[in-house]
């Protein structure tokens, strides 16, 4: 289990990117959901020992991550937002090279590792093609293969689905879910669906604070009977926002659809809706905005 305990990160210049963040992450696929600038990358980089927090503690199993970053690195796989690849080098050759750098000196062991990872990430058929020429989805799957060299116990993947088309995203998320059967996987994303589909546990981060944490279906169930929808004219949106707690507004077929959070029916033009994770997300974000 990974325990993040009261972690605060204040950057030079005074930006508080993480404000007393505490979360416990169990084995499985954990989704860290939040908008741009919420602090996701900062938290991912801090857990990955790439930066030291201003305050707080992080433990992974028996490892004190801040005091002993070297030990964490031995069991860590990390896929940053952008990773460089060499042009004209095949996926096989590059993964083999990375395995050498990770210390797998024995050629037979290395071949076995590289082959297993290429098959697991569904890249076996394109193993002789250059990674630089891969599609976005293939490239991200290659990134996972690379991060899994050396059998890490903790895999951190920072915003991996940005820019992937729906099919590639699904394939990629399924790969992460598969990996998470044996490894603690933390996925950061700003896409609600990434978390809704496969994550067994999640947290919503907003302005450097954890706004909600729990099992996606349980968080959604908490809103049951409290979300109401109405179609209004765009010109009525400001009035609706001052009269109700509008958590979501969206243009649908020329009308504005709003979702309102309320314990009882807010008015004759409203009807109940079955809440989903998007309602949970926007309810969490609007409550932190009000603070
Ligand atoms: P996210 O990954 O959720 O988009 P980040 O962790 O990248 O969020 O950023 C959180 C906040 O910290 C933002 O306000 C961002 O501008 C700021 N920030 C990130 N990195 C640095 C840095 N190296 N120096 C100063 N401010 C930073």
């Amino acid at each position: 289990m990974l325990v993040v305990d009261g972690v605060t990160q204040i950057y030079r210049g005074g930006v508080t990117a993480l404000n007393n963040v505490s979360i416990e992450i169990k084995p499985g696929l954990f989704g860290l959901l939040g908008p741009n600038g919420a602090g996701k990358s900062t938290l991912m980089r801090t857990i990955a020992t790439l930066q030291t927090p201003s305050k707080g503690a992080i433990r992974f199993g028996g490892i004190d991550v801040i005091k002993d970053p070297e030990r964490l690195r031995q069991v860590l796989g990390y896929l940053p937002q952008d990773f460089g690849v060499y042009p004209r080098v095949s996926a096989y050759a590059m993964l083999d090279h990375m395995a050498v750098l990770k210390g797998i000196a024995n050629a037979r062991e290395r071949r076995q590792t590289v082959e297993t990872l290429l098959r697991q990430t569904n890249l076996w058929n394109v193993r002789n093609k250059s990674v630089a020429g891969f599609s976005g989805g293939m490239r991200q799957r290659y990134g996972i293969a690379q991060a899994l060299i050396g059998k890490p116990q903790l895999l951190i993947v920072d915003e991996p689905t940005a820019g992937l088309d729906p099919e590639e995203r699904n394939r990629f998320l399924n790969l992460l879910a598969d990996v998470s059967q044996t490894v603690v996987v933390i996925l950061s994303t700003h896409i609600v669906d990434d978390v809704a589909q496969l994550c067994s546990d999640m947290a919503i981060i907003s302005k450097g604070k954890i706004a909600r944490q729990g099992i996606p279906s349980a968080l959604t169930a908490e809103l049951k009977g409290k979300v109401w929808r109405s179609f209004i004219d765009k010109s009525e949106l400001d009035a609706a926002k001052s009269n109700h707690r509008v958590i979501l507004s969206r243009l649908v077929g020329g009308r504005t659809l709003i979702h309102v959070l309320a314990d009882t029916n807010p008015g004759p033009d409203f009807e109940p809706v079955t809440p989903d994770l998007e309602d949970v997300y926007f309810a969490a974000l609007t409550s932190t905005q009000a603070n």
Side-chain angles (χ1 to χ4, degrees):
M1 187 157 80
L2 178 77
V3 179
V4 175
D5 187 7
V7 165
T8 292
Q9 177 68 54
I10 302 167
Y11 284 117
R12 274 167 62 189
V15 176
T16 303
L18 298 174
N19 188 348
N20 198 18
V21 166
S22 295
I23 37 174
E24 291 190 353
I25 300 180
K26 297 181 209 65
L29 181 53
F30 185 94
L32 181 71
L33 178 65
N36 279 338
K40 300 183 297 297
S41 283
T42 300
L43 183 56
M44 302 286 96
R45 287 200 305 265
T46 305
I47 297 171
T49 75
L50 296 173
Q51 57 190 58
T52 312
S54 318
K55 243 193 328 204
I58 304 175
R59 287 183 300 279
F60 181 64
I63 303 172
D64 182 330
V65 174
I66 293 166
K67 283 212 182 100
D68 214 349
E70 214 25 74
R71 266 183 79 202
L72 197 270
R73 283 176 209 142
Q74 285 165 12
V75 297
L76 173 76
Y78 174 60
L79 181 63
Q81 270 184 28
D82 297 302
F83 60 95
V85 294
Y86 300 105
R88 289 183 299 277
V89 178
S90 77
Y92 191 106
M94 189 140 142
L95 204 55
D96 185 70
H97 173 66
M98 290 298 166
V100 173
L101 295 183
K102 277 231 182 171
I104 307 180
N106 180 292
R108 182 136 57 91
E109 189 190 337
R110 206 164 61 240
R111 191 173 67 229
Q112 202 173 33
T113 299
V114 168
E115 288 191 12
T116 304
L117 288 172
L118 286 170
R119 287 184 202 281
Q120 187 181 2
T121 52
N122 243 308
L123 292 170
W124 182 251
N125 292 339
V126 289
R127 65 189 179 282
N128 295 322
K129 295 213 163 85
S130 146
V131 179
F134 277 1
S135 71
M138 286 156 73
R139 195 179 163 118
Q140 290 301 69
R141 279 185 277 129
Y142 171 79
I144 292 294
Q146 196 168 295
L148 287 178
I149 297 171
K151 297 199 171 75
Q153 294 161 24
L154 173 64
L155 177 66
I156 295 177
V157 199
D158 197 3
E159 297 247 18
T161 60
L164 300 191
D165 68 35
E167 194 187 327
E168 281 181 331
R169 247 182 63 206
N170 269 334
R171 188 177 248 217
F172 185 80
L173 292 171
N174 278 315
L175 170 63
L176 285 189
D178 180 41
V179 171
S180 76
Q181 293 187 1
T182 48
V183 176
V184 178
V185 181
I186 310 177
L187 158 74
S188 90
T189 182
H190 63 271
I191 301 168
V192 176
D193 272 352
D194 283 354
V195 175
Q197 283 176 21
L198 293 163
C199 288
S200 47
D201 201 355
M202 69 175 293
I204 297 170
I205 185 168
S206 172
K207 297 185 176 160
K209 288 186 180 171
I210 300 295
R212 299 305 307 277
Q213 186 184 358
I215 298 165
S217 59
L219 293 177
T220 307
E222 279 177 28
L223 288 187
K224 211 169 159 223
K226 294 183 180 169
V227 184
W228 309 84
R229 77 166 182 186
S230 182
F231 286 93
I232 60 171
D233 201 71
K234 200 175 151 217
S235 61
E236 299 167 322
L237 185 58
D238 283 343
K241 279 184 175 166
S242 51
N243 291 331
H244 305 290
R245 191 158 156 218
V246 177
I247 55 172
L248 179 158
S249 67
R250 171 180 296 147
L251 214 55
V252 179
R255 296 279 284 166
T256 300
L257 165 73
I258 57 170
H259 280 197
V260 163
L261 195 64
D263 288 337
T264 54
N265 192 334
D269 299 330
F270 285 88
E271 59 179 7
V273 277
T274 306
D276 59 22
L277 202 60
E278 205 171 38
D279 293 307
V280 174
Y281 181 50
F282 289 117
L285 294 190
T286 51
S287 74
T288 47
Q289 267 161 24
N291 287 339

